[in-house]
Amino acid sequence: MNLDFNSTQSTRYLQVYDYYKNLIVTGRLMPGTKMPSIRRGAVQLGLSRTTIETAYLCLAADGYIISRPQSGYYVTDRTVNIFSKQNTQDTKTTIARKSKIQYNFTSNNVDADSFDFNLWRRYIKSTLRQDGRMLTYGEPQGEYELREVLCRYVVAKRNAVCRPENIVIGAGSQALLNILCPLIKKRHTVCFYDTRFAQGMVIFEDYGFDIEKDKQNASVLYMTPSHMTSLGDVMSVERRLALLKECAVYDRLIIEDDYDNEFRYFSKPIPCLQGLSGGENVVYLSTFSKLLLPSIRLSFMILPDSLLPLYEEKKALYNQTASKSEQLALCQFLRDGHLESQIRKLKRLYSSKAKALSLLLEETFGTQADVYMGESVFLVHLKIKCALTSEELCDMAAANGILVFPFHKEEKKADGYAHIALSCCEVPAEKFPDAVRILREIIL
């Protein structure tokens, strides 16, 4: 943490206050995130518990966090309203505000028609009829038969190099990172290519890692090669090979988060970093939340052989976080070939919705805007000439019941244009016209 306790500019509790306030305002600590306990914060910063508690009380008094009895402090959702751009306040007051978000174009949730619930129920019911297996706890590493199926899948589809023994199953990426961080704690520093992944960054911070902006200063790189930008751009084979060579020279560990690798418009799947490296020096992460349902929290991690001995020493102490019944159901679901048909179904559904939304935006804004889709089948981009910046347009939309997100801030944007992206996953297609109409009222 970048705190200067020798500074005479402010007291220590105010430095702690400013540090966490900045994390919350910039979105690195998302609403609902649990703050480090007072005891843990004191240990991490080498300060007294009184200093940390005073800083937390000030944050709570200003509305950034809230105390929950017997649980701790949590980040509130008030920062958007508190830190709206000052130079857009007069404009915002002229538009009728809606207190409830009606159209969420930033959501990772899925369309109601994207999943065959009846089919999944049959697999769950079949699993629950295995009475004997339901009487025992699941394997800490994940059910072996599911790991076998996953191994065959990633070897065939992602050119991964692994055995079932390399795979660890958990309920989401955060649960897996909680297992991984203690195994690589000697590396100390991590660089996130996508700084929007606040949920992952806070896990590393909780384990004492320093978050570095420059990869040259980090010994761990958290990469998303199948989704490099908000357009869903994919890292080329040449760049992947160069990255692997560089990391081998400087002994950097890569964590490859391969989410959304199945959803590509124009490019064929590129072998994952883990496979190109021969299974060495890369930890591979993937999830089924987007392919199936967000509520089915099943993710998996492929550990390189170099980390397996450390994991073997500790795995008996970890409880399995993923449901045993859902693991067994997914295993049979994959064995019966339903995943391939599910991927084809999702591509058809989301590409159809994205094209419909694109056409509606083009008809509404005409020559005033450029509308296009990136690699991801569910993202639509609107680049429109107006007086607002991308961030201001997002704030205005949120005040009127629509959530969109600005084009990646690290990418260059043309002056005089606002550039936003819309995910068509959650919002039903029949609601697109009303949402686009509100966007037009905001901009014009």
Side-chain angles (χ1 to χ4, degrees), residues 98-106 397-403 426:
K98 298 182 181 180
S99 60
K100 184 178 180 181
I101 297 299
Q102 294 182 309
Y103 312 99
N104 188 350
F105 288 102
T106 66
N400 285 270
I402 303 176
L403 287 183
E426 178 181 328

Side-chain angles (χ1 to χ4, degrees), residues 346-392:
L346 292 176
K347 284 185 175 180
R348 288 194 302 268
L349 173 64
Y350 291 138
S351 62
S352 175
K353 290 181 67 176
K355 290 174 183 176
L357 180 58
S358 297
L359 180 60
L360 187 59
L361 289 169
E362 289 173 352
E363 293 174 347
T364 301
F365 294 103
T367 58
Q368 186 181 1
D370 291 329
V371 180
Y372 54 93
M373 296 176 288
E375 284 283 353
S376 295
V377 300
F378 44 79
L379 283 178
V380 176
H381 285 253
L382 174 65
K383 186 177 179 182
I384 186 164
K385 189 170 183 62
C386 65
L388 301 172
T389 66
S390 302
E391 292 77 11
E392 289 168 349

Side-chain angles (χ1 to χ4, degrees), residues 8 22 209 272 353 381 400:
T8 59
N22 180 63
F209 283 79
C272 62
K353 290 181 67 176
H381 285 253
N400 285 270

Side-chain angles (χ1 to χ4, degrees), residues 50-65:
T50 300
T51 298
I52 303 299
E53 184 175 15
T54 301
Y56 278 15
L57 290 174
C58 291
L59 288 167
D62 288 344
Y64 299 112
I65 63 176

Side-chain angles (χ1 to χ4, degrees), residues 167-361:
I167 295 179
V168 182
I169 296 169
S173 297
Q174 280 188 313
L176 294 173
L177 291 179
N178 273 306
I179 295 174
L180 177 62
C181 284
L183 303 181
I184 60 174
K185 61 183 179 180
K186 292 183 179 180
R187 290 186 173 270
H188 303 299
T189 54
V190 59
C191 175
F192 280 75
Y193 184 88
D194 187 349
T195 57
R196 293 170 295 177
F197 186 32
Q199 297 94 329
M201 297 171 73
V202 75
I203 296 293
F204 280 89
E205 287 184 330
D206 284 348
Y207 281 96
F209 283 79
D210 292 325
I211 308 297
E212 296 287 347
K213 294 183 179 180
D214 188 349
K215 70 177 184 178
Q216 305 298 330
N217 300 325
S219 58
V220 179
L221 302 184
Y222 197 104
M223 307 293 296
T224 56
S226 294
H227 201 120
M228 295 294 289
T229 70
S230 59
L231 282 168
D233 295 333
V234 180
M235 181 185 288
S236 67
V237 172
E238 292 76 14
R239 287 184 63 192
R240 294 182 189 224
L241 293 174
L243 176 65
L244 290 170
K245 182 177 180 180
E246 178 184 329
C247 289
V249 171
Y250 294 101
D251 188 31
R252 297 190 184 109
L253 177 71
I254 298 174
I255 300 175
E256 178 183 14
D257 191 336
D258 204 29
Y259 80 99
D260 283 355
N261 71 79
E262 300 89 352
F263 300 109
R264 305 267 72 83
Y265 261 127
F266 309 115
S267 63
K268 294 182 179 180
I270 295 177
C272 62
L273 288 168
Q274 196 270 356
L276 292 173
S277 71
E280 299 178 0
N281 208 41
V282 177
V283 176
Y284 180 90
L285 292 173
S286 191
T287 181
F288 289 94
S289 296
K290 196 79 170 187
L291 290 175
L292 303 179
L293 292 172
S295 56
I296 301 176
R297 301 294 292 163
L298 282 171
S299 300
F300 65 97
M301 169 173 66
I302 302 177
L303 293 175
D305 288 341
S306 59
L307 293 178
L308 280 182
L310 290 174
Y311 175 69
E312 290 290 337
E313 290 177 7
K314 296 185 175 183
K315 74 175 184 179
L317 301 176
Y318 292 116
N319 291 323
Q320 176 53 249
T321 54
S323 163
K324 184 176 183 178
S325 60
E326 289 187 343
Q327 289 185 62
L328 296 175
L330 177 61
C331 179
Q332 194 59 47
F333 183 90
L334 296 176
R335 281 175 175 169
D336 291 344
H338 291 298
L339 185 60
E340 290 298 320
S341 60
Q342 174 70 4
I343 292 173
R344 290 193 297 269
K345 177 181 179 180
L346 292 176
K347 284 185 175 180
R348 288 194 302 268
L349 173 64
Y350 291 138
S351 62
S352 175
K353 290 181 67 176
K355 290 174 183 176
L357 180 58
S358 297
L359 180 60
L360 187 59
L361 289 169

Side-chain angles (χ1 to χ4, degrees), residues 48-153:
S48 69
R49 294 174 61 181
T50 300
T51 298
I52 303 299
E53 184 175 15
T54 301
Y56 278 15
L57 290 174
C58 291
L59 288 167
D62 288 344
Y64 299 112
I65 63 176
I66 188 171
S67 175
R68 296 179 183 171
Q70 309 302 319
S71 180
Y73 288 91
Y74 292 81
V75 179
T76 67
D77 59 357
R78 297 176 57 190
T79 55
V80 173
N81 292 329
I82 295 174
F83 291 96
S84 296
K85 301 290 185 180
Q86 184 62 42
N87 61 354
T88 65
Q89 290 302 309
D90 293 340
T91 305
K92 288 182 181 181
T93 57
T94 64
I95 300 176
R97 299 191 177 192
K98 298 182 181 180
S99 60
K100 184 178 180 181
I101 297 299
Q102 294 182 309
Y103 312 99
N104 188 350
F105 288 102
T106 66
S107 173
N108 285 323
N109 294 334
V110 298
D111 190 283
D113 296 328
S114 68
F115 190 68
D116 188 340
F117 286 91
N118 289 328
L119 178 63
W120 183 250
R121 286 190 192 100
R122 290 202 295 270
Y123 282 103
I124 290 292
K125 289 179 180 179
S126 176
T127 297
L128 294 176
R129 284 194 288 268
Q130 303 177 43
D131 296 358
R133 299 195 69 172
M134 294 298 102
L135 296 175
T136 60
Y137 289 103
E139 297 183 33
Q141 192 169 344
E143 299 305 302
Y144 187 81
E145 59 201 88
L146 176 57
R147 287 188 277 130
E148 284 185 313
V149 174
L150 290 175
C151 183
R152 289 196 294 270
Y153 176 78

